[in-house]
Structures are given as structure tokens and as C-alpha cells.
Amino acid sequence: MKKVKVRAIDVNKTFGSGKNKVTAISDLNLEVKENEFTVLVGPSGCGKSTFLYLVAGFEKPTSGKILLDGESITKPGPDRGFVFQEFALYPWRTVLGNVMFGLEIGGTPKATAREKAMHYIKMVGLEGFENAYPHTLSGGMKQRVGIARAIAYDPEVLLMDEPFGSLDAQTRKVMQGELMKIWEEMRKTVIFVTHSVIEATYLADRIIVMTARPGKVKGIIDVDLPRPRDYTGKKYLEIRKKALDLLEEEVTKSLKIHPKTN
Amino acid sequence: MKNVPSRSGEWSVLRRMKEIRGKVVRLFYFLLPLLFIAILWELIVYFRIVSPSRTPSPLQICLKLYQLTTPKPILLNNLFESLLRLVLGYMLGALLGILVGILTGISKPFYRAFSPILSLLISVPTLAWVPLLLVTLGTGDETIVFTIFLGGFFPVVYNTMNGIRGIEKQLVWASRIMGADKTTVFFDVFLPGALVSIITGLRLAIGYSWRALVGAEMLAAGISWGVGHMIYAARAFSDVEAMFAGLVIIAVGGILMDRLIMDPIERRTVEKWGMVKER
């Protein structure tokens, strides 16, 4: 039995108050196991990104708590890494500067930081681009920088918020493959948020399907398939269908609840 | 990859030549409409459509500019005196403006306390302060420098504040999760993140400071040098040419400061980072 790394206990999160009150997450309970690749799937607006923000410590739960190694999360910290959908790179730093930033903050000597950062830049396939500024890179390359930056200072948990959501379909597929290679190499605990079941089934050890807003756990699917996975394999398609069926109910529901948001 | 420095010398020479050629072309397009207006104006005066004693022609103004520099460098003395005041007042306005702008941009209580005051004061024309200052600070340099300060301070505060407030939350979050403390967030996220706006503020402030300077120099009776003073004193002799000469100096001075100081800063920072469009 694997150790539980992140545990959410009766988590509620509401935004606004009075008439404008929106419940993003209600009574969410879930467990993320150490060194596993966990993917959260849910209809848009189901609070899956909000949950990731709570784990990151960017936002605080309205009630309930989230534990990391049994300790309540109160604020952001370098035991976690975050990859944003819109990259959130620093335009005034080069690729190397972005990837080194976390190491610099942690007080790693410059030369060592540089060396380590270069290692991760190579890992994500950006060797030769270390002195380029982000605005000169394509979306896929930007997200490679985003990933390298988030793992360069060796956090224990990697949080990924629809990291390939703003990439085109081709780039997305390539990035999924590369992420798998990187993950096999480092084997960190990953919480990955997406609304794509195809992506979830390709990447995950466990898929957690969430309900429409307010977000709860709808079902958990263990994906016991060897990697790299075949998008057309029989077992793969079976699991994908299972996840899709779970999700479809919720998507229909969310369309009924929030006709305008879709 | 335009940001990866090229290793080959030949290429950089070629690129340098291209840059220079670009600059010349740009200067040409900048001067073309001005030249057109000057010729038109010259012709209007030449054919006596307006009187040359009331409206001097561009050539007359050039001649006056020359006379004002030789044998005695009257114009330069005036300009030097004005620039001293400008630098002092502008620096004060810029530094304090950036500081207060950052504080109001970062801290909610500061914003609540300061933004109503700011919106009130920003609509007061700088020159409206001058009579008051003449009484409280006297008719000398103090009043002029303080007026320049006021002229530069508000656009810098306002733009800096908005620059800070406009920084994407995710950029701050990204640094916080990597363990950044407040000082790091300040210097590595807020400051560079707001630089586009800060530079805009500093740019506007140059214009406002010039205006404030010239206006205050006209109203302060206790000084004997300064471009504004020169223009105003020329009134006593109906020396229209000297007035125009003063206007030319002010316009050229303003644009030179913008191009010589602000442009290089912008090119080396926000333009290189792709945060504003290259010109």
C-alpha cells in the first residue's frame, strides 16, 4: 500500500457572498498517493483548478483542510511545483533565468543553480534556447520552460493546471509523450488537472472524475496499463470509455445548471 | 533567434549597418512633415500674407537662435539654468512617484487611503499651484523646482500604481510557490512587471515637467535666467523672434530628453523582453 501524500478532508470553497456566492467545491474528500500520477477530470467550472490552487496554497479553503504529508497546507512553498495553463513565465528572464529562479530563491550557489537548470532545460528538450526570451518561443516551448521551472528546484509534489490546454492538438500529443518520459525519470507525485479524458487515460495512474459544480468526487478509476500507452489499445479504450461515461453525465448536468457558461 | 547573440563578427557589422540605415530613414520621415511646414511658413511670410515683425519666418528664427548663442551664449545660459531646475524637480518627482506608486499598488490600505487624494489632485493643473507656491515658498528656485516636482510626480505615481496592480496574479503565485519572500517578490516580480507602466509614467512626466518648468519660470519674478523667463522677458521688447526661439528650444529639448534617455532604457528592457512592440 502506497503512502498518502496529499489528503483533502471535507473541503469547501466558496467565492463571493450573498447573491453572488458561488460554491466551487463542496465536501470534497480525496487522497493522492505518493509518487503516483493522479489526474483530476471534470466538466469545466467544476472546481478542479480551484482545488489545485488550494493544494498550492494560493487560496485557502472556506472550511475543511488539505494535508500534505499529514501537515495542513497554509501557504505556497517550494515543496510543491506549479505548472500554469497560460505558462506564467517571466518575460524579463531568459529561459535559463526562468528555470534558475526557484534555485536562486532557495539559495543554491549560482554555478550549481546554473548547472542544475541546464540539466532540466536539456531534459525538456530546450538545449540551445537557454538564452532566449520567452516571447520568442512557441506555446509548446513555453510550456517546456514552465515544466522545467517547476521541477528544477526538486519539489515533492508537482501540480499541473491544464498545462496543455492552450496548445494545438499535435503539440499537445507530443507534450503528453514527453511529460511521460520526464515523469518516468523523476517519479514525483503529480496532480494533473484536465478536461480531456484521452489525456487523462494516457497519463494517469489514477483518474479522479469530479462532478459538476459544486465539485465532489464522482468516481475513481485505476489505470493499470504499461507505459508508453497506445492511444488505440483495447484496454486503453475500455478505460477511456469508463471515464467518459462517468464524465458525460456530469457534463450534461453542468450544461443544465450553467447554460450560459458553455 | 534574434536574442541569441551572434558569434560571427561579419554578421554583426552587417546588422549594425542595417540598424544605422533604419535610423536615418526614420529621422527622414520624422523631419519631412516639419520641413514641409517650415517651407510653407517661409513662403507665407515671404509673400507678406502675415507681417514678419509679428510672425517671424523660420529663417528669421534660426538667425535669432544663432544671435542668442554668439558672441554671448545667452540661450545656453538660460537653457542650463532651466535644465538644472528640471533635473532636480524631475528626479524628485520620479523617485518619490515610483515609491508612492509601488506602495499604493501593492498595499490595499495604502490604495484606499491614497487613491481618492490622487484622483482629486491629478485633475489640478500644475500651474494652478504656482500662485500659492509663490506666496509660501517665495519667488525663486524653490517654487520652480517644486512646481516641476508636482508636474512629474502625478503621472509617475498613477502609472506605477496601475502597472503594479495590472501584474498577473499567476506571476506572483509562481514566485511564491518557489519560496520567494516579500523582498524577492518585490524586486523580481513587481518591479520588472510594472516597468512598462513606470516607463510610460516617466515619459509623460518629462513632458509635464517641461511645461511646469516654463510656466513657473514665467511667473516667478525672483529669477533672472531660464528659458521661460527669457520668453516672458522678450514680451517687454516685443521681441517675437526670441519668443519663437524659446519655443523651439523647449520643443527640441523635450523630444531630445525623451529620445536620448527614455528610448535606450526602453530598448534595453521591456522591448527586449517583448513586453512592448518594437518600433
Side-chain angles (χ1 to χ4, degrees):
Chain A
M1 205 47 203
K2 273 180 182 164
K3 190 185 142 202
V4 173
K5 189 73 180 173
V6 177
R7 187 195 300 269
I9 306 169
D10 300 329
V11 172
N12 285 277
K13 178 69 186 174
T14 57
F15 292 101
S17 57
K19 264 189 207 162
N20 299 320
K21 190 164 147 179
V22 174
T23 308
I25 295 173
S26 105
D27 297 322
L28 180 73
N29 285 282
L30 61 80
E31 283 174 1
V32 172
K33 299 212 174 85
E34 189 166 43
N35 301 335
E36 265 194 10
F37 202 113
T38 304
V39 177
L40 290 181
V41 194
S44 42
C46 77
K48 53 197 191 297
S49 290
T50 305
F51 175 69
L52 220 51
Y53 288 170
L54 296 177
V55 179
F58 300 150
E59 312 252 13
K60 288 194 176 77
T62 311
S63 69
K65 57 186 167 182
I66 299 175
L67 307 178
L68 173 62
D69 286 329
E71 299 266 332
S72 193
I73 291 167
T74 55
K75 59 175 201 250
D79 47 357
R80 285 148 287 162
F82 205 100
V83 180
F84 296 87
Q85 178 174 4
E86 298 299 336
F87 323 128
L89 302 179
Y90 298 106
W92 50 87
R93 284 173 170 264
T94 59
V95 169
L96 182 65
N98 267 285
V99 179
M100 269 175 75
F101 194 28
L103 293 160
E104 281 172 28
I105 292 170
T108 311
K110 257 235 153 87
T112 323
R114 209 188 152 81
E115 213 173 288
K116 274 194 183 164
M118 280 310 295
H119 167 76
Y120 287 101
I121 288 171
K122 268 177 215 161
M123 195 191 242
V124 297
L126 280 181
E127 202 180 359
F129 289 96
E130 56 272 13
N131 293 320
Y133 283 93
H135 76 279
T136 62
L137 306 178
S138 68
M141 287 162 89
K142 280 181 187 159
Q143 199 55 296
R144 286 164 197 261
V145 181
I147 293 169
R149 180 177 72 177
I151 55 179
Y153 56 95
D154 201 22
E156 293 166 38
V157 180
L158 183 61
L159 308 168
M160 308 184 86
D161 183 18
E162 301 201 38
F164 308 143
S166 48
L167 306 178
D168 62 82
Q170 276 311 311
T171 314
R172 192 172 181 149
K173 218 169 174 181
V174 173
M175 292 294 285
Q176 287 166 2
E178 300 219 355
L179 177 62
M180 266 305 100
K181 272 187 228 148
I182 293 167
W183 181 75
E184 301 234 277
E185 209 170 307
M186 65 177 189
R187 289 270 164 185
K188 281 185 197 307
T189 312
V190 176
I191 310 178
F192 186 108
V193 160
T194 181
H195 57 251
S196 157
V197 171
I198 301 173
E199 188 165 81
T201 317
Y202 182 76
L203 297 172
D205 289 318
R206 283 167 83 225
I207 302 174
I208 301 181
V209 181
M210 285 179 74
T211 63
R213 192 159 71 204
K216 288 181 191 179
V217 176
K218 166 100 176 175
I220 295 172
I221 301 167
D222 284 301
V223 188
D224 196 13
L225 288 175
R227 293 181 172 96
R229 291 175 185 159
D230 176 7
Y231 287 101
T232 51
K234 190 166 166 263
K235 191 86 195 296
Y236 171 88
L237 290 173
E238 261 174 45
I239 293 169
R240 200 178 100 182
K241 175 142 189 358
K242 210 161 128 195
L244 210 53
D245 289 345
L246 274 177
L247 187 63
E248 213 138 79
E249 282 176 41
E250 292 308 315
V251 173
T252 322
K253 228 190 271 172
S254 90
L255 285 173
K256 276 177 195 151
I257 302 168
H258 324 283
K260 271 181 200 155
T261 58
N262 281 284
Chain B
M1 288 315 314
K2 67 182 168 208
N3 282 308
V4 181
S6 111
R7 259 168 231 140
S8 124
E10 281 165 61
W11 280 107
S12 75
V13 168
L14 257 176
R15 202 168 46 193
R16 184 90 198 120
M17 273 169 67
K18 249 188 187 166
E19 266 169 31
I20 291 169
R21 205 177 63 190
K23 267 183 193 162
V24 173
V25 169
R26 249 175 302 171
L27 188 68
F28 176 73
Y29 280 119
F30 179 79
L31 291 178
L32 199 63
L34 295 177
L35 200 68
F36 178 74
I37 287 170
I39 291 170
L40 196 70
W41 181 355
E42 194 70 45
L43 288 175
I44 287 172
V45 179
Y46 182 78
F47 290 112
R48 292 293 187 276
I49 297 168
V50 295
S51 145
S53 62
R54 291 212 194 128
T55 316
S57 77
L59 284 177
Q60 276 173 281
I61 297 167
C62 288
L63 187 70
K64 186 68 188 184
L65 278 170
Y66 177 72
Q67 286 166 354
L68 283 172
T69 30
T70 45
K72 272 193 269 178
I74 300 170
L75 193 62
L76 290 182
N77 286 343
N78 278 313
L79 189 61
F80 181 69
E81 199 83 359
S82 289
L83 282 180
L84 269 185
R85 295 180 185 125
L86 187 70
V87 168
L88 198 63
Y90 179 76
M91 290 295 229
L92 273 175
L95 285 178
L96 245 112
I98 291 174
L99 208 74
V100 174
I102 287 174
L103 274 176
T104 42
I106 291 177
S107 128
K108 272 236 171 76
F110 244 95
Y111 179 75
R112 288 211 186 95
F114 211 78
S115 74
I117 305 174
L118 201 65
S119 7
L120 268 179
L121 290 183
I122 208 160
S123 55
V124 177
T126 316
L127 284 182
W129 290 98
V130 177
L132 182 77
L133 296 176
L134 287 172
V135 175
T136 49
L137 291 177
T139 58
D141 284 329
E142 292 89 345
T143 294
I144 300 172
V145 171
F146 197 74
T147 312
I148 299 166
F149 162 77
L150 286 174
F153 177 72
F154 289 107
V156 174
V157 171
Y158 194 74
N159 281 286
T160 306
M161 181 184 86
N162 281 336
I164 298 272
R165 291 173 65 82
I167 289 172
E168 265 177 78
K169 211 167 25 173
Q170 300 194 335
L171 288 185
V172 180
W173 282 351
S175 71
R176 296 261 287 126
I177 202 159
M178 290 189 278
D181 56 12
K182 286 200 166 136
T183 330
T184 311
V185 175
F186 178 83
F187 283 106
D188 287 87
V189 183
F190 280 128
L191 217 49
L195 200 59
V196 176
S197 297
I198 294 178
I199 287 176
T200 304
L202 291 175
R203 273 221 143 104
L204 286 172
I206 289 184
Y208 282 102
S209 297
W210 258 116
R211 281 174 230 182
L213 163 83
V214 175
E217 278 182 349
M218 288 183 178
L219 294 172
I223 57 161
S224 40
W225 290 100
V227 180
H229 179 263
M230 185 189 87
I231 296 176
Y232 203 62
R235 193 188 43 130
F237 311 99
S238 296
D239 188 353
V240 187
E241 288 159 20
M243 295 180 192
F244 269 105
L247 289 182
V248 170
I249 287 301
I250 291 164
V252 172
I255 206 167
L256 279 183
M257 283 182 73
D258 191 68
R259 294 295 146 89
L260 294 182
I261 302 170
M262 299 319 295
D263 266 11
I265 295 179
E266 202 166 64
R267 256 198 311 275
R268 265 168 219 153
T269 55
V270 289
E271 226 174 89
K272 187 167 83 176
W273 305 335
M275 293 169 81
V276 292
K277 277 200 191 120
E278 284 179 57
R279 268 160 304 172

